[in-house]
Amino acid sequence: MRFTPARYASPLLLTACGAISVFAYAPVNAFALMWLALAALFLVAGKAENPKRAALLGYVWGLGYFCANIYWIFISLHTFGGMPAWMAAGCVFLLAVYLAIFPALGAWLGHKLGNTRCIRVGLTLPTAFVLTEWLRGWLFTGFPWATVGTSQLPMTSMAGYAPILGVYGISLILALSLGVIAALPRNPKAWGAVAFTWLAGWGLTHVEWTQPIGKPVTVSLVQGAIPQDEKWAQEHYLDNLRIYLRLTRQAKGEIVILPETAIPSFLSDTPDWYLDYLRAAVAPRALVTGVPLTGQHVEEYYNSVMFLTDPKMPTYSKHHLVPFGEFVPLPWLFGWMYHYLNMPLSGFTPGGTKQAAFAIGPTTRLAANICYEDVYGREIIHALPEATLLVNVSNLAWFDGSWAAWQQTQMSQARALETGRMMLRATNTGMTAIIDNHGKLVSVLAEGKRGILEGTARNYVGMTPYARCSDWLALGLGGLLLVLARFLRRKH
C-alpha cells in the first residue's frame, strides 16, 4: 500500500479530537469542544471507504478520548496504590484500549447501516455511537464515566431533556444535532430542526417535574481532608477519629453527614466511647456516617453508610462496587495486580439492589449512594419514589491532584436533574457540595480544605419520566432511528 499522508492524518486528527473532549467536562466546562470532537468523528468515519476503516477511525478517536478522560486512575494505582509508574500507566492504557472498542463498534455499525454518506453522518453514526455508549455503561458491570451527554450539563439547554430521557437521551440528541448539521451544512431546514430541538430543551428547563414537601432542612456536610496515605495508617487512627469528632461537634445542621469510611475501621472494631461521643455531639439531631461493616460470614464485609443516631442504626451498603478497587473481577486473570497494590478493604461484598432510605424527621427520606455509584443513573432511581433527598458520600483522596472529583460532581448534577431531587455530596477531600434539583451547584467547599459545608436542602416528591422509564425511552428512540435508517436504505 502506498504511503498517503491524508490516510494517516485522519487517525491522528481524530485521536487529538477525542483527547480534547476532556476540556468539555468540569472543571473547564468548555462544552462546545464536545461538539467539535463528535462532529469530527462522524464526518471522517462517514467518508471511510468501508465499515472496517470506519471502525479503525472510531477506535483511534476512542483511544484519545479515554486516555484523556481516565488519566486520574494512574494516581490511585501509582501514587497511593504503590504500583510502579510504568505498570500503572500501562494499566490505564489497557483500560483505554478496551473502552475504545465501543466507539469503534459504533462507527462500524453506523457505517454498515447507512448506504449513503448523508445517512451515515446524519443518522446511523450518531445513533450507533450512543447505543454503544450505553453498552459501555452496562457490559461487565459497566463503566459510564465520561458519557458525552454529561458534558452538556447543567449549563446548556440539553438539561431540559435530562428528566425525560436521561443522560443517554442527551447524548443522542447532541449526536444527532451535530450529525445533521455536518451532513447538511447548507440546508436551512436542517439548521431549523436543530435550533427548534435546542430551544425546546430550554423550554423544558422551566418544567417542574417534582414538588417540594415540608420545610427546608439544614444540613452539615463534613470534610475531614485527611490525606490518603494517612487515612488507613494505624499510627494516625486516633488522630483521624478526633478530626471527625471535632468537626461533628462544630456542625450546626439538623442532618450531619460524614463521608465514605469517615470511621476508618469496621464498626465492630471501633471504640464504643467514640461512637457515643459522636452521637452526643449531635443529639437530638441526625448523624449519618460512612463506616465499613462486617457480615455474618468470614471475609464478608461491606462499604456502608449508617444512620448512627437512629436507635435501630439502619444502614445502606454499597451495591455497585468498583472493579479492581473494591473487588477483583476474574481473580484467576487479574489477581496478579494485588501483588503490586496497597489497597485496604479491596474485597467488599455488594449490598442489595433496593435498600430503604433513611427516615429522618417527618418528611426527609434520605437515600445514600457511595463513591462512583452516582455515575449510574439507572441505579440511583431504585431509591425512588420513596427518597426525597439524595446523598453521595465519597473518599476521592485516591485521585488528589486530578479532575476526577470535578467530573464526578458533574455526574451528580446529572443525577439531580434526572430524578428531580437535590443531591448532597459529603467527601473526605472534595468536592463536598450541595446541588439543587435543577442540577445547579448551590455551594461548594474548597477541595483539600478541612471544614464543614453548612446549607439548606429541600425534600422533593414526584417522579420524572426518566425515573419511571429509566434508559428505555432513549434506547427505544435509538432503536426507532435505526429502523428508519433501514427504511431509507431500502428506499435508495
Side-chain angles (χ1 to χ4, degrees), residues 295-334:
Q296 296 180 348
H297 305 289
V298 177
E299 295 186 355
E300 178 186 343
Y301 47 94
Y302 300 88
N303 188 355
S304 301
V305 178
M306 175 174 285
F307 184 4
L308 194 63
T309 48
D310 186 313
K312 296 180 180 179
M313 294 198 298
T315 62
Y316 167 83
S317 295
K318 187 176 183 182
H319 168 70
H320 204 125
L321 303 177
V322 180
F324 305 106
E326 292 174 321
F327 80 100
V328 185
L330 303 175
W332 59 271
L333 180 61
F334 297 111

mmCIF file of all heavy atoms in Angstrom, residues 295-334:
data_model
loop_
_atom_site.group_PDB
_atom_site.id
_atom_site.type_symbol
_atom_site.label_atom_id
_atom_site.label_comp_id
_atom_site.label_asym_id
_atom_site.label_seq_id
_atom_site.Cartn_x
_atom_site.Cartn_y
_atom_site.Cartn_z
ATOM 1 N N GLY A 295 -19.901 -8.793 57.909
ATOM 2 C CA GLY A 295 -21.105 -9.574 57.688
ATOM 3 C C GLY A 295 -21.158 -10.782 58.591
ATOM 4 O O GLY A 295 -20.404 -10.896 59.568
ATOM 5 N N GLN A 296 -22.026 -11.696 58.252
ATOM 6 C CA GLN A 296 -22.229 -12.881 59.084
ATOM 7 C C GLN A 296 -21.176 -13.950 58.822
ATOM 8 O O GLN A 296 -20.998 -14.855 59.638
ATOM 9 C CB GLN A 296 -23.617 -13.461 58.826
ATOM 10 C CG GLN A 296 -24.752 -12.518 59.240
ATOM 11 C CD GLN A 296 -26.118 -13.118 58.964
ATOM 12 O OE1 GLN A 296 -26.232 -14.130 58.274
ATOM 13 N NE2 GLN A 296 -27.153 -12.489 59.494
ATOM 14 N N HIS A 297 -20.507 -13.869 57.683
ATOM 15 C CA HIS A 297 -19.550 -14.897 57.308
ATOM 16 C C HIS A 297 -18.137 -14.330 57.258
ATOM 17 O O HIS A 297 -17.938 -13.109 57.142
ATOM 18 C CB HIS A 297 -19.923 -15.496 55.951
ATOM 19 C CG HIS A 297 -21.333 -16.022 55.889
ATOM 20 N ND1 HIS A 297 -21.725 -17.154 56.546
ATOM 21 C CD2 HIS A 297 -22.434 -15.535 55.258
ATOM 22 C CE1 HIS A 297 -23.020 -17.363 56.320
ATOM 23 N NE2 HIS A 297 -23.472 -16.389 55.542
ATOM 24 N N VAL A 298 -17.159 -15.191 57.322
ATOM 25 C CA VAL A 298 -15.759 -14.786 57.238
ATOM 26 C C VAL A 298 -15.505 -14.136 55.876
ATOM 27 O O VAL A 298 -16.005 -14.595 54.858
ATOM 28 C CB VAL A 298 -14.833 -16.007 57.431
ATOM 29 C CG1 VAL A 298 -13.371 -15.594 57.275
ATOM 30 C CG2 VAL A 298 -15.075 -16.645 58.794
ATOM 31 N N GLU A 299 -14.739 -13.075 55.871
ATOM 32 C CA GLU A 299 -14.380 -12.322 54.665
ATOM 33 C C GLU A 299 -15.608 -11.718 53.972
ATOM 34 O O GLU A 299 -15.593 -11.465 52.771
ATOM 35 C CB GLU A 299 -13.599 -13.196 53.682
ATOM 36 C CG GLU A 299 -12.236 -13.635 54.229
ATOM 37 C CD GLU A 299 -11.414 -14.375 53.196
ATOM 38 O OE1 GLU A 299 -11.941 -14.638 52.095
ATOM 39 O OE2 GLU A 299 -10.259 -14.706 53.499
ATOM 40 N N GLU A 300 -16.663 -11.487 54.741
ATOM 41 C CA GLU A 300 -17.837 -10.772 54.219
ATOM 42 C C GLU A 300 -17.885 -9.414 54.891
ATOM 43 O O GLU A 300 -18.088 -9.317 56.097
ATOM 44 C CB GLU A 300 -19.115 -11.554 54.517
ATOM 45 C CG GLU A 300 -20.382 -10.844 54.054
ATOM 46 C CD GLU A 300 -21.657 -11.572 54.486
ATOM 47 O OE1 GLU A 300 -21.552 -12.764 54.858
ATOM 48 O OE2 GLU A 300 -22.734 -10.947 54.465
ATOM 49 N N TYR A 301 -17.642 -8.374 54.128
ATOM 50 C CA TYR A 301 -17.721 -7.034 54.691
ATOM 51 C C TYR A 301 -18.191 -6.050 53.640
ATOM 52 O O TYR A 301 -18.070 -6.286 52.430
ATOM 53 C CB TYR A 301 -16.397 -6.596 55.325
ATOM 54 C CG TYR A 301 -15.148 -6.829 54.522
ATOM 55 C CD1 TYR A 301 -14.624 -5.828 53.715
ATOM 56 C CD2 TYR A 301 -14.459 -8.042 54.597
ATOM 57 C CE1 TYR A 301 -13.458 -6.028 52.996
ATOM 58 C CE2 TYR A 301 -13.298 -8.250 53.886
ATOM 59 C CZ TYR A 301 -12.797 -7.233 53.081
ATOM 60 O OH TYR A 301 -11.643 -7.441 52.361
ATOM 61 N N TYR A 302 -18.739 -4.941 54.129
ATOM 62 C CA TYR A 302 -19.487 -4.016 53.287
ATOM 63 C C TYR A 302 -18.973 -2.587 53.437
ATOM 64 O O TYR A 302 -18.580 -2.162 54.525
ATOM 65 C CB TYR A 302 -20.973 -4.039 53.667
ATOM 66 C CG TYR A 302 -21.624 -5.385 53.508
ATOM 67 C CD1 TYR A 302 -21.608 -6.313 54.558
ATOM 68 C CD2 TYR A 302 -22.258 -5.738 52.321
ATOM 69 C CE1 TYR A 302 -22.207 -7.553 54.423
ATOM 70 C CE2 TYR A 302 -22.858 -6.980 52.176
ATOM 71 C CZ TYR A 302 -22.829 -7.881 53.226
ATOM 72 O OH TYR A 302 -23.411 -9.113 53.092
ATOM 73 N N ASN A 303 -19.015 -1.863 52.327
ATOM 74 C CA ASN A 303 -18.761 -0.425 52.326
ATOM 75 C C ASN A 303 -20.112 0.233 52.573
ATOM 76 O O ASN A 303 -20.965 0.245 51.683
ATOM 77 C CB ASN A 303 -18.162 0.004 50.990
ATOM 78 C CG ASN A 303 -17.701 1.452 51.000
ATOM 79 O OD1 ASN A 303 -17.898 2.179 51.971
ATOM 80 N ND2 ASN A 303 -17.093 1.890 49.915
ATOM 81 N N SER A 304 -20.309 0.784 53.764
ATOM 82 C CA SER A 304 -21.658 1.157 54.180
ATOM 83 C C SER A 304 -21.764 2.599 54.657
ATOM 84 O O SER A 304 -20.766 3.273 54.941
ATOM 85 C CB SER A 304 -22.134 0.218 55.302
ATOM 86 O OG SER A 304 -22.144 -1.125 54.877
ATOM 87 N N VAL A 305 -23.025 3.038 54.745
ATOM 88 C CA VAL A 305 -23.401 4.303 55.361
ATOM 89 C C VAL A 305 -24.408 3.965 56.452
ATOM 90 O O VAL A 305 -25.339 3.182 56.221
ATOM 91 C CB VAL A 305 -24.034 5.264 54.344
ATOM 92 C CG1 VAL A 305 -24.456 6.559 55.027
ATOM 93 C CG2 VAL A 305 -23.071 5.558 53.212
ATOM 94 N N MET A 306 -24.236 4.553 57.635
ATOM 95 C CA MET A 306 -25.090 4.222 58.783
ATOM 96 C C MET A 306 -25.748 5.477 59.339
ATOM 97 O O MET A 306 -25.108 6.523 59.475
ATOM 98 C CB MET A 306 -24.276 3.525 59.870
ATOM 99 C CG MET A 306 -25.050 3.243 61.144
ATOM 100 S SD MET A 306 -24.095 2.258 62.311
ATOM 101 C CE MET A 306 -24.211 0.650 61.517
ATOM 102 N N PHE A 307 -27.011 5.353 59.656
ATOM 103 C CA PHE A 307 -27.757 6.400 60.369
ATOM 104 C C PHE A 307 -27.485 6.163 61.849
ATOM 105 O O PHE A 307 -28.229 5.474 62.538
ATOM 106 C CB PHE A 307 -29.236 6.290 60.019
ATOM 107 C CG PHE A 307 -30.119 7.359 60.596
ATOM 108 C CD1 PHE A 307 -29.607 8.431 61.342
ATOM 109 C CD2 PHE A 307 -31.487 7.313 60.397
ATOM 110 C CE1 PHE A 307 -30.416 9.408 61.867
ATOM 111 C CE2 PHE A 307 -32.328 8.283 60.926
ATOM 112 C CZ PHE A 307 -31.792 9.320 61.659
ATOM 113 N N LEU A 308 -26.412 6.752 62.338
ATOM 114 C CA LEU A 308 -25.847 6.380 63.637
ATOM 115 C C LEU A 308 -26.714 6.787 64.811
ATOM 116 O O LEU A 308 -26.710 6.128 65.856
ATOM 117 C CB LEU A 308 -24.445 6.984 63.785
ATOM 118 C CG LEU A 308 -23.577 6.452 64.915
ATOM 119 C CD1 LEU A 308 -23.278 4.969 64.717
ATOM 120 C CD2 LEU A 308 -22.276 7.244 65.013
ATOM 121 N N THR A 309 -27.474 7.867 64.689
ATOM 122 C CA THR A 309 -28.263 8.354 65.817
ATOM 123 C C THR A 309 -29.664 7.752 65.857
ATOM 124 O O THR A 309 -30.437 8.067 66.767
ATOM 125 C CB THR A 309 -28.355 9.889 65.778
ATOM 126 O OG1 THR A 309 -28.706 10.316 64.456
ATOM 127 C CG2 THR A 309 -27.029 10.517 66.159
ATOM 128 N N ASP A 310 -30.010 6.921 64.897
ATOM 129 C CA ASP A 310 -31.250 6.159 64.969
ATOM 130 C C ASP A 310 -30.990 4.931 65.846
ATOM 131 O O ASP A 310 -30.012 4.215 65.635
ATOM 132 C CB ASP A 310 -31.677 5.722 63.566
ATOM 133 C CG ASP A 310 -33.036 5.040 63.545
ATOM 134 O OD1 ASP A 310 -33.274 4.150 64.380
ATOM 135 O OD2 ASP A 310 -33.851 5.381 62.669
ATOM 136 N N PRO A 311 -31.847 4.667 66.856
ATOM 137 C CA PRO A 311 -31.605 3.516 67.741
ATOM 138 C C PRO A 311 -31.443 2.189 66.992
ATOM 139 O O PRO A 311 -30.719 1.300 67.435
ATOM 140 C CB PRO A 311 -32.848 3.506 68.639
ATOM 141 C CG PRO A 311 -33.323 4.929 68.639
ATOM 142 C CD PRO A 311 -33.020 5.451 67.268
ATOM 143 N N LYS A 312 -32.111 2.061 65.844
ATOM 144 C CA LYS A 312 -32.016 0.824 65.069
ATOM 145 C C LYS A 312 -30.757 0.786 64.193
ATOM 146 O O LYS A 312 -30.440 -0.247 63.602
ATOM 147 C CB LYS A 312 -33.255 0.654 64.194
ATOM 148 C CG LYS A 312 -34.545 0.483 64.987
ATOM 149 C CD LYS A 312 -35.726 0.308 64.052
ATOM 150 C CE LYS A 312 -37.029 0.141 64.827
ATOM 151 N NZ LYS A 312 -38.205 -0.016 63.918
ATOM 152 N N MET A 313 -30.071 1.913 64.082
ATOM 153 C CA MET A 313 -28.856 2.052 63.270
ATOM 154 C C MET A 313 -29.022 1.445 61.872
ATOM 155 O O MET A 313 -28.287 0.535 61.471
ATOM 156 C CB MET A 313 -27.642 1.454 63.990
ATOM 157 C CG MET A 313 -27.251 2.193 65.242
ATOM 158 S SD MET A 313 -25.579 1.859 65.828
ATOM 159 C CE MET A 313 -25.643 0.123 66.173
ATOM 160 N N PRO A 314 -30.014 1.933 61.095
ATOM 161 C CA PRO A 314 -30.195 1.407 59.737
ATOM 162 C C PRO A 314 -28.982 1.736 58.858
ATOM 163 O O PRO A 314 -28.286 2.731 59.083
ATOM 164 C CB PRO A 314 -31.448 2.126 59.243
ATOM 165 C CG PRO A 314 -31.522 3.371 60.066
ATOM 166 C CD PRO A 314 -30.960 3.009 61.405
ATOM 167 N N THR A 315 -28.754 0.899 57.859
ATOM 168 C CA THR A 315 -27.578 1.070 57.007
ATOM 169 C C THR A 315 -27.949 0.986 55.536
ATOM 170 O O THR A 315 -28.981 0.411 55.154
ATOM 171 C CB THR A 315 -26.521 -0.004 57.300
ATOM 172 O OG1 THR A 315 -27.062 -1.292 57.003
ATOM 173 C CG2 THR A 315 -26.067 0.044 58.747
ATOM 174 N N TYR A 316 -27.086 1.571 54.737
ATOM 175 C CA TYR A 316 -27.083 1.341 53.290
ATOM 176 C C TYR A 316 -25.704 0.794 52.946
ATOM 177 O O TYR A 316 -24.679 1.377 53.337
ATOM 178 C CB TYR A 316 -27.334 2.634 52.510
ATOM 179 C CG TYR A 316 -27.021 2.461 51.035
ATOM 180 C CD1 TYR A 316 -27.965 1.896 50.174
ATOM 181 C CD2 TYR A 316 -25.765 2.791 50.515
ATOM 182 C CE1 TYR A 316 -27.672 1.685 48.837
ATOM 183 C CE2 TYR A 316 -25.470 2.580 49.180
ATOM 184 C CZ TYR A 316 -26.420 2.022 48.343
ATOM 185 O OH TYR A 316 -26.124 1.807 47.020
ATOM 186 N N SER A 317 -25.646 -0.329 52.242
ATOM 187 C CA SER A 317 -24.372 -0.919 51.839
ATOM 188 C C SER A 317 -24.203 -0.801 50.330
ATOM 189 O O SER A 317 -25.144 -1.082 49.569
ATOM 190 C CB SER A 317 -24.297 -2.382 52.262
ATOM 191 O OG SER A 317 -24.293 -2.494 53.670
ATOM 192 N N LYS A 318 -23.038 -0.392 49.934
ATOM 193 C CA LYS A 318 -22.778 -0.121 48.518
ATOM 194 C C LYS A 318 -23.081 -1.342 47.660
ATOM 195 O O LYS A 318 -22.598 -2.443 47.923
ATOM 196 C CB LYS A 318 -21.316 0.312 48.346
ATOM 197 C CG LYS A 318 -20.976 0.787 46.938
ATOM 198 C CD LYS A 318 -19.547 1.288 46.864
ATOM 199 C CE LYS A 318 -19.232 1.818 45.480
ATOM 200 N NZ LYS A 318 -17.832 2.272 45.361
ATOM 201 N N HIS A 319 -23.882 -1.107 46.628
ATOM 202 C CA HIS A 319 -24.270 -2.199 45.729
ATOM 203 C C HIS A 319 -23.332 -2.342 44.545
ATOM 204 O O HIS A 319 -22.912 -3.444 44.204
ATOM 205 C CB HIS A 319 -25.700 -1.968 45.227
ATOM 206 C CG HIS A 319 -26.095 -2.862 44.091
ATOM 207 N ND1 HIS A 319 -26.307 -4.214 44.262
ATOM 208 C CD2 HIS A 319 -26.294 -2.604 42.771
ATOM 209 C CE1 HIS A 319 -26.623 -4.755 43.094
ATOM 210 N NE2 HIS A 319 -26.621 -3.808 42.174
ATOM 211 N N HIS A 320 -23.006 -1.212 43.917
ATOM 212 C CA HIS A 320 -22.184 -1.263 42.699
ATOM 213 C C HIS A 320 -20.722 -1.011 43.072
ATOM 214 O O HIS A 320 -20.292 0.123 43.238
ATOM 215 C CB HIS A 320 -22.655 -0.225 41.680
ATOM 216 C CG HIS A 320 -22.269 -0.584 40.279
ATOM 217 N ND1 HIS A 320 -23.174 -0.687 39.255
ATOM 218 C CD2 HIS A 320 -21.067 -0.903 39.738
ATOM 219 C CE1 HIS A 320 -22.550 -1.034 38.140
ATOM 220 N NE2 HIS A 320 -21.266 -1.159 38.418
ATOM 221 N N LEU A 321 -19.974 -2.081 43.211
ATOM 222 C CA LEU A 321 -18.583 -1.986 43.645
ATOM 223 C C LEU A 321 -17.667 -1.623 42.483
ATOM 224 O O LEU A 321 -17.963 -1.893 41.314
ATOM 225 C CB LEU A 321 -18.141 -3.315 44.261
ATOM 226 C CG LEU A 321 -18.975 -3.815 45.444
ATOM 227 C CD1 LEU A 321 -18.466 -5.170 45.909
ATOM 228 C CD2 LEU A 321 -18.956 -2.809 46.580
ATOM 229 N N VAL A 322 -16.523 -1.008 42.816
ATOM 230 C CA VAL A 322 -15.554 -0.571 41.814
ATOM 231 C C VAL A 322 -14.662 -1.759 41.425
ATOM 232 O O VAL A 322 -13.973 -2.311 42.282
ATOM 233 C CB VAL A 322 -14.672 0.573 42.354
ATOM 234 C CG1 VAL A 322 -13.672 1.025 41.290
ATOM 235 C CG2 VAL A 322 -15.530 1.732 42.810
ATOM 236 N N PRO A 323 -14.670 -2.158 40.147
ATOM 237 C CA PRO A 323 -13.772 -3.242 39.736
ATOM 238 C C PRO A 323 -12.313 -2.872 40.012
ATOM 239 O O PRO A 323 -11.902 -1.733 39.776
ATOM 240 C CB PRO A 323 -14.036 -3.373 38.228
ATOM 241 C CG PRO A 323 -15.369 -2.739 38.002
ATOM 242 C CD PRO A 323 -15.478 -1.653 39.034
ATOM 243 N N PHE A 324 -11.550 -3.808 40.520
ATOM 244 C CA PHE A 324 -10.134 -3.670 40.832
ATOM 245 C C PHE A 324 -9.880 -2.811 42.074
ATOM 246 O O PHE A 324 -8.817 -2.888 42.657
ATOM 247 C CB PHE A 324 -9.327 -3.103 39.646
ATOM 248 C CG PHE A 324 -9.487 -3.896 38.394
ATOM 249 C CD1 PHE A 324 -10.255 -3.423 37.340
ATOM 250 C CD2 PHE A 324 -8.882 -5.137 38.267
ATOM 251 C CE1 PHE A 324 -10.415 -4.164 36.188
ATOM 252 C CE2 PHE A 324 -9.036 -5.893 37.115
ATOM 253 C CZ PHE A 324 -9.807 -5.411 36.073
ATOM 254 N N GLY A 325 -10.846 -1.992 42.477
ATOM 255 C CA GLY A 325 -10.673 -1.202 43.686
ATOM 256 C C GLY A 325 -11.343 -1.845 44.885
ATOM 257 O O GLY A 325 -10.787 -1.884 45.979
ATOM 258 N N GLU A 326 -12.587 -2.358 44.667
ATOM 259 C CA GLU A 326 -13.348 -2.942 45.774
ATOM 260 C C GLU A 326 -13.622 -4.436 45.581
ATOM 261 O O GLU A 326 -14.081 -5.101 46.488
ATOM 262 C CB GLU A 326 -14.664 -2.179 45.939
ATOM 263 C CG GLU A 326 -14.451 -0.763 46.426
ATOM 264 C CD GLU A 326 -15.722 0.054 46.468
ATOM 265 O OE1 GLU A 326 -16.551 -0.084 45.549
ATOM 266 O OE2 GLU A 326 -15.893 0.837 47.415
ATOM 267 N N PHE A 327 -13.404 -4.925 44.385
ATOM 268 C CA PHE A 327 -13.456 -6.367 44.169
ATOM 269 C C PHE A 327 -12.606 -6.699 42.950
ATOM 270 O O PHE A 327 -12.310 -5.826 42.124
ATOM 271 C CB PHE A 327 -14.899 -6.853 43.986
ATOM 272 C CG PHE A 327 -15.454 -6.630 42.601
ATOM 273 C CD1 PHE A 327 -15.495 -7.659 41.665
ATOM 274 C CD2 PHE A 327 -15.955 -5.383 42.228
ATOM 275 C CE1 PHE A 327 -16.017 -7.454 40.399
ATOM 276 C CE2 PHE A 327 -16.478 -5.168 40.959
ATOM 277 C CZ PHE A 327 -16.510 -6.211 40.041
ATOM 278 N N VAL A 328 -12.190 -7.959 42.844
ATOM 279 C CA VAL A 328 -11.337 -8.399 41.740
ATOM 280 C C VAL A 328 -12.179 -9.200 40.751
ATOM 281 O O VAL A 328 -12.593 -10.323 41.056
ATOM 282 C CB VAL A 328 -10.179 -9.276 42.243
ATOM 283 C CG1 VAL A 328 -9.237 -9.617 41.096
ATOM 284 C CG2 VAL A 328 -9.430 -8.588 43.361
ATOM 285 N N PRO A 329 -12.470 -8.638 39.564
ATOM 286 C CA PRO A 329 -13.176 -9.431 38.555
ATOM 287 C C PRO A 329 -12.233 -10.479 37.961
ATOM 288 O O PRO A 329 -11.064 -10.191 37.709
ATOM 289 C CB PRO A 329 -13.579 -8.387 37.509
ATOM 290 C CG PRO A 329 -12.594 -7.280 37.665
ATOM 291 C CD PRO A 329 -12.171 -7.279 39.110
ATOM 292 N N LEU A 330 -12.737 -11.688 37.776
ATOM 293 C CA LEU A 330 -11.931 -12.777 37.216
ATOM 294 C C LEU A 330 -10.588 -12.895 37.944
ATOM 295 O O LEU A 330 -9.520 -12.633 37.381
ATOM 296 C CB LEU A 330 -11.689 -12.549 35.712
ATOM 297 C CG LEU A 330 -12.943 -12.410 34.834
ATOM 298 C CD1 LEU A 330 -12.555 -12.078 33.412
ATOM 299 C CD2 LEU A 330 -13.784 -13.665 34.906
ATOM 300 N N PRO A 331 -10.594 -13.266 39.220
ATOM 301 C CA PRO A 331 -9.355 -13.315 40.005
ATOM 302 C C PRO A 331 -8.251 -14.158 39.366
ATOM 303 O O PRO A 331 -7.074 -13.841 39.511
ATOM 304 C CB PRO A 331 -9.802 -13.927 41.337
ATOM 305 C CG PRO A 331 -11.274 -13.778 41.385
ATOM 306 C CD PRO A 331 -11.762 -13.701 39.986
ATOM 307 N N TRP A 332 -8.643 -15.216 38.647
ATOM 308 C CA TRP A 332 -7.647 -16.075 38.013
ATOM 309 C C TRP A 332 -6.871 -15.331 36.933
ATOM 310 O O TRP A 332 -5.746 -15.699 36.591
ATOM 311 C CB TRP A 332 -8.321 -17.306 37.408
ATOM 312 C CG TRP A 332 -9.372 -16.972 36.384
ATOM 313 C CD1 TRP A 332 -10.701 -16.750 36.617
ATOM 314 C CD2 TRP A 332 -9.185 -16.798 34.972
ATOM 315 N NE1 TRP A 332 -11.366 -16.454 35.447
ATOM 316 C CE2 TRP A 332 -10.453 -16.484 34.418
ATOM 317 C CE3 TRP A 332 -8.084 -16.879 34.127
ATOM 318 C CZ2 TRP A 332 -10.635 -16.249 33.059
ATOM 319 C CZ3 TRP A 332 -8.272 -16.648 32.762
ATOM 320 C CH2 TRP A 332 -9.534 -16.347 32.243
ATOM 321 N N LEU A 333 -7.499 -14.241 36.401
ATOM 322 C CA LEU A 333 -6.842 -13.477 35.338
ATOM 323 C C LEU A 333 -6.179 -12.207 35.868
ATOM 324 O O LEU A 333 -5.087 -11.834 35.428
ATOM 325 C CB LEU A 333 -7.865 -13.110 34.256
ATOM 326 C CG LEU A 333 -7.364 -12.311 33.051
ATOM 327 C CD1 LEU A 333 -6.291 -13.105 32.301
ATOM 328 C CD2 LEU A 333 -8.520 -11.975 32.111
ATOM 329 N N PHE A 334 -6.827 -11.535 36.833
ATOM 330 C CA PHE A 334 -6.348 -10.235 37.284
ATOM 331 C C PHE A 334 -5.801 -10.231 38.709
ATOM 332 O O PHE A 334 -5.407 -9.185 39.225
ATOM 333 C CB PHE A 334 -7.475 -9.196 37.196
ATOM 334 C CG PHE A 334 -7.971 -8.956 35.803
ATOM 335 C CD1 PHE A 334 -9.239 -9.369 35.424
ATOM 336 C CD2 PHE A 334 -7.169 -8.318 34.876
ATOM 337 C CE1 PHE A 334 -9.705 -9.151 34.134
ATOM 338 C CE2 PHE A 334 -7.627 -8.085 33.583
ATOM 339 C CZ PHE A 334 -8.897 -8.508 33.211
#
